[in-house]
Amino acid sequence: QVQLVESGGGLVQAGGSLRLSCEASGNIFRINAMGWYRQAPGKQRELVATITYYSSTNYADSVKGRFTISRDNAKNTVYLQMNSLKPEDTAVYFCNADVSILLRGRNDYWGQGTQVTVSS
């Protein structure tokens, strides 16, 4: 089985920065695409950024130029550097990974979420 553990959330003022981390563990053969999603109160979960195994990236329009997704394949870890944070970035941020498991095929996994709160 695979587990994703997130860290780095917290409370910051508008204009500040946070760096989220998500480390995958388990019987992993290969982590394919990874991504960050977020869900604000009363809203649906939305895609923030994704990154392929070869570090091709994609961002939601709302975070382009402010957020940067990256990964360390040797550590099975994905990061989200968040700069110039706005109050509307406040949400629970979830890590997602498309994982090929040794001898068990391929499945999608989610972290438990980490709270990001941006004050004005």
Side-chain angles (χ1 to χ4, degrees):
Q1 198 57 252
V2 174
Q3 295 80 39
L4 305 181
V5 179
E6 305 174 35
S7 61
L11 173 65
V12 297
Q13 293 182 328
S17 298
L18 285 173
R19 184 176 185 249
L20 306 183
S21 299
C22 172
E23 183 177 4
S25 61
N27 198 19
I28 299 169
F29 176 74
R30 170 188 170 121
I31 301 179
N32 306 298
M34 304 185 77
W36 289 95
Y37 295 71
R38 67 187 182 187
Q39 188 167 22
K43 295 185 177 181
Q44 292 185 316
R45 189 172 299 184
E46 65 175 352
L47 185 147
V48 176
T50 59
I51 185 167
T52 69
Y53 183 83
Y54 300 102
S55 296
S56 178
T57 59
N58 183 63
Y59 297 92
D61 288 341
S62 59
V63 306
K64 286 181 179 177
R66 300 188 297 120
F67 291 8
T68 302
I69 189 171
S70 61
R71 64 188 289 170
D72 186 334
N73 292 336
K75 297 179 179 179
N76 290 328
T77 300
V78 63
Y79 306 94
L80 186 68
Q81 178 66 46
M82 304 185 294
N83 298 325
S84 301
L85 283 162
K86 305 175 181 179
E88 51 262 45
D89 295 318
T90 295
V92 178
Y93 284 70
F94 297 90
C95 176
N96 174 263
D98 176 12
V99 182
S100 295
I101 305 171
L102 287 172
L103 304 178
R104 297 303 304 164
R106 182 170 176 172
N107 288 101
D108 204 26
Y109 294 90
W110 292 89
Q112 78 287 348
T114 184
Q115 178 70 47
V116 172
T117 302
V118 184
S119 62
S120 59

